[in-house]
Amino acid sequence: MKLKTILAAAIIFTSIPSFGQSNITETTLEVDGLCGMCKKRIENAAYIQGVKKVNWDLSTHELALTYRNDKVNEQEIITAINNAGHDVKDHIATDEQYATIHGCCTYRDAEMRKAHGLGDALCKPNETHEEHHAHGGKDKH
């Protein structure tokens, strides 16, 4: 009978870590930026309480995230990135937020994008936050 008790306890004990893992979310977001300075700003902005891992890839513009969904949600992370001045697909930073980034990081500017070998921005060049919404662009500020 002791063996069954020990075995049952061992099964329960080994299953406990898997319960904790259910609070972990891994996802990617498309975030616009141009350079290494943008990478640092985007990653720092996304690394809020509850976020465990961030990595923004300059070539793909994908931000890989691992976070505790019992501590933070995706919208809070997106809001933090927008607050740092960067557009997230379907969540465009306001003109005021965008204006806070360094001049060499103006990723909405067509000439800057071309100089960095990039195509179209998530928000069209010179398009305001309001214009983005007027032609069907969406975000959830």
Side-chain angles (χ1 to χ4, degrees):
M1 186 120 155
K2 279 187 172 184
L3 183 57
K4 286 183 182 180
T5 304
I6 292 170
L7 186 57
I11 291 170
I12 291 169
F13 181 73
T14 57
S15 66
I16 289 172
S18 66
F19 289 122
Q21 295 301 317
S22 66
N23 294 333
I24 301 296
T25 298
E26 293 182 1
T27 191
T28 59
L29 300 172
E30 186 177 349
V31 182
D32 221 342
L34 291 178
C35 61
M37 193 169 10
C38 292
K39 176 179 174 67
K40 185 175 182 179
R41 186 181 313 104
I42 291 164
E43 290 178 351
N44 286 342
Y47 197 66
I48 59 178
Q49 187 172 4
V51 175
K52 300 299 177 189
K53 185 175 163 186
V54 296
N55 183 42
W56 184 71
D57 186 296
L58 179 60
S59 62
T60 65
H61 288 206
E62 292 216 345
L63 175 67
L65 289 167
T66 302
Y67 63 92
R68 293 215 24 199
N69 55 43
D70 60 334
K71 302 281 184 189
V72 67
N73 63 49
E74 188 173 297
Q75 184 56 50
E76 291 170 312
I77 299 166
I78 290 169
T79 298
I81 295 167
N82 286 157
N83 286 339
H86 285 272
D87 295 340
V88 178
K89 187 172 183 174
D90 297 328
H91 305 274
I92 304 302
T94 66
D95 291 340
E96 293 80 18
Q97 291 167 327
Y98 178 71
T100 66
I101 64 171
H102 192 274
C104 73
C105 296
T106 52
Y107 57 85
R108 291 180 187 167
D109 180 88
E111 292 302 314
M112 290 294 283
R113 294 186 71 77
K114 185 177 178 181
H116 285 84
L118 300 174
D120 292 337
L122 295 174
C123 186
K124 291 185 174 133
N126 302 319
E127 176 182 58
T128 67
H129 180 76
E130 290 73 24
E131 289 169 332
H132 177 77
H133 285 282
H135 67 63
K138 59 183 176 177
D139 64 35
K140 298 177 182 171
H141 292 298

